[in-house]
Amino acid sequence: MRKIINSADTFVQDTMEGIIAAYGDKVKLLNDDFRVLLSNYPTQDGKVGIVTAGGSGHLPVFLGYVGKGLLDGCAVGEVFASPASEKMADMIRACDRGNGVLCLYGNYNGDIFNFRMACDEVEFDDIETRQVLVRDDVASSPKENADKRRGVAGMVYAFKVAGAAADRMMSLDEVAAVAEKALANIRTMGVALSPCIVPKVGKPTFTIADDEIEIGMGIHGEAGIEVRKMMTADEIAETLVETITKDMPLQSGDEVSVMVNGLGGTPMEEQLIVYRRVHQLLEDMGVSVVMPHIGEYATSMEMAGLSVTIFKLDAELKELLQAPAESPFYTNSNK
């Protein structure tokens, strides 16, 4: 294992301390707890709180979206491991401003179990919560079992839309409904060219030949749907767009936002080459792209590969997507 770290045991704490050292004017720790990050931006009293949680190793998810018009708090565990329910409960309490907290997170068993316990715990403090699960990975389960799908890069769009809704002082039920509506119109699929190494494990999470590509790989190294010989950028784009649009059909005149997300070890040039073909395919369908996102939004340590997310918009979702937002890792100044 060759990584620029101090030790596997201090990886998460050292990362959090680096974030605070760099962006301490924008985010802060909860009572010096390096497992819970809170927004340091001014917030209106009565605004619905929005929180998430999950394993470390995916920056900018989840920590990078704590800020204005996005998340109010984030709890993290060890690399690829859920944080404890007590940390989630502390975070929820810190983010409640009197009108409840939306817990918006990926469909992973550890996170589900711990968030449920946390929400039960804060009920004793008279804090109302709602839970919305992100299930955007079309490769992880067929459409008839969509409730079993994993949450991947599409959650960034959900954070953005829910954050904008909360900033408009919508109620807890309204913010949860907007998040659900967004997620019903978000689909993601990825490919992997190489594994990553979890610091405490010290060896690759899977193996793949130099001339192969795994289609549908999960962000923790979960198996995809097939392994193929290496493909061109255009072939990758065509495969991902075809699979996504079969699951979520698009029509001429539709508007979408597209995210090409690097998994940690893919150059921006390669992401842009894939986006070029995705844009062409959508244009040929008569579909317009609004606010494309190209870059690293949800990584898997140093895994080489990328994912494509398509977010189908209506007038409300488009307006919420374009609303201003600011965090150390994500800024949108569109009006």
Side-chain angles (χ1 to χ4, degrees):
M1 180 176 71
R2 298 180 67 192
K3 289 182 178 289
I4 303 174
I5 62 175
N6 294 313
S7 76
D9 290 336
T10 65
F11 178 80
V12 177
Q13 181 167 347
D14 289 351
T15 300
M16 293 290 276
E17 289 178 356
I19 289 173
I20 294 301
Y23 309 113
D25 57 330
K26 299 178 175 68
V27 290
K28 60 187 176 183
L29 300 179
L30 174 60
N31 299 324
D32 295 323
D33 185 347
F34 66 88
R35 297 289 184 172
V36 182
L37 191 71
L38 302 177
S39 172
N40 216 11
Y41 290 85
T43 305
Q44 297 183 69
D45 288 338
K47 186 189 85 69
V48 167
I50 303 177
V51 300
T52 196
S56 298
H58 299 298
L59 274 173
V61 164
F62 305 86
L63 300 162
Y65 302 101
V66 174
K68 181 175 177 56
L70 295 160
L71 300 169
D72 295 286
C74 173
V76 290
E78 287 296 322
V79 174
F80 298 177
S82 177
S85 62
E86 292 85 356
K87 303 295 184 184
M88 294 176 175
D90 289 343
M91 169 186 63
I92 292 169
R93 292 187 190 100
C95 295
D96 177 53
R97 296 177 183 84
N99 283 323
V101 177
L102 172 66
C103 304
L104 181 56
Y105 60 98
N107 186 26
Y108 298 96
N109 289 335
D111 297 333
I112 294 169
F113 180 78
N114 288 331
F115 253 124
R116 285 176 179 169
M117 286 203 299
C119 290
D120 287 344
E121 185 177 331
V122 300
E123 276 188 17
F124 293 103
D125 302 304
D126 295 323
I127 296 174
E128 193 174 5
T129 59
R130 296 287 184 277
Q131 298 183 58
V132 173
L133 271 63
V134 181
R135 304 180 175 99
D136 58 311
D137 185 357
V138 298
S140 57
S141 197
K143 193 167 187 175
E144 57 269 23
N145 293 317
D147 62 324
K148 293 182 169 61
R149 288 176 171 171
R150 301 179 290 243
V152 286
M155 70 176 64
V156 176
Y157 281 134
F159 296 159
K160 176 68 191 69
V161 167
D167 267 8
R168 294 186 176 190
M169 303 304 288
M170 292 185 181
S171 70
L172 179 58
D173 284 338
E174 288 170 334
V175 174
V178 162
E180 294 276 18
K181 177 182 175 182
L183 289 166
N185 290 281
I186 294 171
R187 302 288 189 279
T188 302
M189 187 172 175
V191 297
L193 308 181
S194 73
C196 64
I197 297 175
V198 176
K200 285 194 174 182
V201 176
K203 60 183 180 181
T205 51
F206 63 93
T207 58
I208 187 168
D210 289 343
D211 63 343
E212 292 179 338
I213 182 170
E214 182 138 7
I215 310 296
M217 171 66 68
I219 60 172
H220 304 101
E222 300 97 335
I225 53 179
E226 64 175 313
V227 176
R228 297 186 190 176
K229 290 299 181 183
M230 189 57 198
M231 305 158 66
T232 67
D234 283 1
E235 289 168 339
I236 292 169
E238 289 157 11
T239 298
L240 299 184
V241 170
E242 179 184 6
T243 305
I244 289 171
T245 54
K246 275 185 179 176
D247 197 272
M248 184 180 67
L250 299 174
Q251 299 177 353
S252 180
D254 283 343
E255 287 187 309
V256 302
S257 185
V258 172
M259 176 182 291
V260 174
N261 169 61
L263 293 175
T266 301
M268 179 67 82
E269 289 90 344
E270 295 177 23
Q271 297 175 41
L272 284 163
I273 291 169
V274 170
Y275 176 75
R276 161 193 164 274
R277 184 58 180 149
V278 172
H279 186 272
Q280 288 173 349
L281 292 167
L282 293 171
E283 200 171 48
D284 290 346
M285 296 166 59
V287 174
S288 302
V289 179
V290 176
M291 274 185 67
H293 288 53
I294 299 103
E296 292 190 336
Y297 292 90
T299 66
S300 183
M301 302 294 289
E302 73 276 27
M303 186 185 289
L306 54 81
S307 63
V308 170
T309 302
I310 297 180
F311 180 15
K312 185 178 177 181
L313 302 170
D314 64 9
E316 180 186 35
L317 294 174
K318 179 180 177 181
E319 192 173 333
L320 293 170
L321 177 64
Q322 292 180 321
E326 186 177 351
S327 78
F329 294 79
Y330 183 102
T331 297
N332 170 43
S333 58
N334 285 9
K335 301 298 182 184

